[in-house]
Amino acid sequence: MIFLTVFLSLLSSALIYNGSFVYGLVFLIINIFLLIKEKNKKIFYFSLVIFIGFILFLLIKSFLNNINLNYFLVLERKESYAVIFNGFKSFYLNIEDNSTLDSFDIIKIEKPLLEKLDFNVLESGFDFKSYLFSKSVDYQISYEKIEVVFNFPLSFYFMKKNFLDGIKNPIYQNFLSGILFSTMNYDLKETFLVKDLQIITLFSQTGIYLNFILYGLKKIFELKFDEKRAYIYSFLLFLPFLFINIIRFTTIKVITFYIFNFINKFYFNKKFNRVEIISLVGSFFIVISSRIIFQAGFYISFLIYFYLYLTSSKFYEFKPIEKKFATQILLTLIIIPFNISFNNSFNFLSIIFMMILLPFSKVMFIISLLTFLFLPSEIIEWLIDINYRIIYSFDSLKINIFVPKFNELTMIIYYLLLSLFLYFFEINYKKRYEQIALVFLFSVSIYILPIENSFSYQVSFINVGQGDSTLIRDRNKTYLIDTGGLTYTDLATNNLIPFLKKNRIYSLDAVIITHYDFDHYGALESLKENFNIKDIYDYNNFDNFKEKNDLNIKNLNDYYDVWTDENDRSLVLYLNLNEEYFLFMGDASKTIEKKIIDEYKSLTVDYLKVSHHGSSSASSLDFLKFINPKEAIISAGKNNFYRHPNKEVLDNLNKCNIKIRRTDLEGTITYKFI
């Protein structure tokens, strides 16, 4: 009990200190409940001291972090950046692709200049700033010169890079990178499918492969040696690969558990039970780095450990096949909220898929590891082909439910109901766990069904960086104006489709392309390939739109065929949605604005999508006074090359007292009406 209460005290302190107040209070309440049930005042006061003391420790540590030192240890090397540590705090360091820096090098930076982290995050895209936050990185360092003081003898980054560069097929290369080093490129369709089938979370975050190898080696050594020596030999034999991946939390976690279990077994005679070991390891990691609790490898793993412990006695009553199936169902239930957070969807076949693929993947991991060490790549390439045939067969069934990410409240309710169900299941209170199961299934069904879409209207200006893409939803009818387009990422698979999924949208009734600048249509081909689109319209066939769709939308630019300039050929779309009026200007210039003023005596506009991302080529003061919207939305990329929006445009909007909203500052901007 003492170790569990220490773990919960440290966890709640770390959550509250780092700004996650709701989750912090939840774990604090759980801790208080367990302490009251224990009826031990000494443990209660000890827990209170740990809770308050750890917050004070973090405050003092934060103050010490301000000490400025010039020497840094390279903790992690990536393709274009490194995470470095000065003995008190970690920093982000931007480096050249050809830099020779590697993990555990020591460098000297003269007069380092600290800057707050500032990265562009597209809709549903990877939040690099949050990722660095979980690694206790808040600042980046600017520098003029770096001096390498010490080169670590082994170059882990380049060992992995050289191995992967030797695999010519990008699909094989990507798979090996994922299974061996847990880094994958999700722009590849094959990897996108793996992610969609919800197997990446379990494999990459829990260290399941590493445990399999470690304990598998131990069993082999036990055939010749006693258990203690088998523990040691298996660890030493596998240590080189573990050391190559030592910068990953999953690897550190597996090593730590292995060592703690070894010490407990052979030096404390199994004095500590499983939950005490889990609590000890968890407490150790939180003290080392309080923000580690925000890494998926931490919170997913420890949830799994605790839930498996809660059900361990009941599961031992099952037959081997029943136990395996029950464990797989439990694992799936535990990681569903996190899979939904990563994928905005849930595949009903993922339980079956994981049961089929898990044993096969263990074999693939062994062959991949041997390929990394000495085997030719042909064997693993053959196995990867089989793997993707299985993935394609499951994907063809398309049994995906689109679900928005759980917020704090829904996450708490989900795990509360799951915990109650498992508690009553463990004590065999059949009536109660059946009732909770019904409540659980009903709550989940209400959450995942697109009920709200049947009676609401929505316009979302999607954050696609330097470009345009707007979702219009008229109850269950959905339309997309433009798709955006970026050269460095697939906006369709990485941003647009996840956004549609979390809005519970399974198909688009139409995609309307205002004009053919890449930043307005560049993601169209990928979107067509990976999502269901019924019709596509542009300025050549927009007149046919009204024949097939009921949306109350009109093109105000009847002059598109007069112009050779692509921007002036833009559709200018005027929408009446539930008596709210929107005007989408595409990239139309002041010339088109003047023609609209001349043609229409008045135009009611509540919301204006500002033309050309706020360029000075449009949004004249006369036009803004003519339409007089309540709000103006500018879709532009953060710190973009063109410096959009232009100061003149912002001044014109301010002169007209129009509220300015910007995707580069706010992210996706959504208006909903009932």
Side-chain angles (χ1 to χ4, degrees), residues 484-529:
L486 295 171
T487 56
Y488 63 85
T489 187
D490 185 346
L491 276 174
T493 56
N494 293 331
N495 310 99
L496 294 178
I497 293 175
F499 178 75
L500 296 172
K501 283 181 177 180
K502 74 181 183 184
N503 281 275
R504 304 178 177 93
I505 293 169
Y506 290 82
S507 65
L508 289 166
D509 290 277
V511 172
I512 304 168
I513 301 299
T514 58
H515 65 295
Y516 285 97
D517 279 352
F518 187 80
D519 59 338
H520 288 254
Y521 86 96
L524 179 60
E525 285 304 313
S526 179
L527 189 62
K528 283 162 56 179
E529 183 180 347

Side-chain angles (χ1 to χ4, degrees), residues 172-187:
Y172 301 154
Q173 185 187 88
N174 199 38
F175 185 90
L176 285 169
S177 179
I179 199 168
L180 289 174
F181 314 124
S182 293
T183 55
M184 300 187 84
N185 173 17
Y186 289 104
D187 282 343

Side-chain angles (χ1 to χ4, degrees), residues 1 66 76 117 120 124 148 155 213 220 315 339 365 406-407 447 517 521 548-549 560 569 579 584 589 599-600 627 672:
M1 178 64 191
N66 291 324
E76 183 177 0
L117 296 174
N120 186 23
S124 301
V148 178
S155 298
I213 293 289
I220 294 171
F315 279 15
N339 276 328
F365 179 75
F406 283 30
N407 58 30
Y447 186 75
D517 279 352
Y521 86 96
K548 285 190 175 183
N549 300 276
Y560 71 89
R569 302 189 81 188
E579 300 309 312
F584 306 91
S589 71
E599 184 169 337
Y600 296 92
I627 58 173
K672 276 191 178 180

Side-chain angles (χ1 to χ4, degrees), residues 11 14 19 82 114 188 344 357 376 426 506 514 521 552 572 601 623:
L11 180 60
L114 297 187
L188 289 176
N344 298 117
L357 200 63
E426 184 74 7
Y506 290 82
T514 58
Y521 86 96
N552 190 356
V572 175
K601 292 183 179 179
F623 182 70

Side-chain angles (χ1 to χ4, degrees), residues 94-109:
N94 199 12
I95 59 177
E96 299 293 332
D97 293 351
N98 59 358
S99 170
T100 59
L101 282 184
D102 210 329
S103 300
F104 307 124
D105 287 351
I106 296 176
I107 60 175
K108 182 181 180 182
I109 302 176

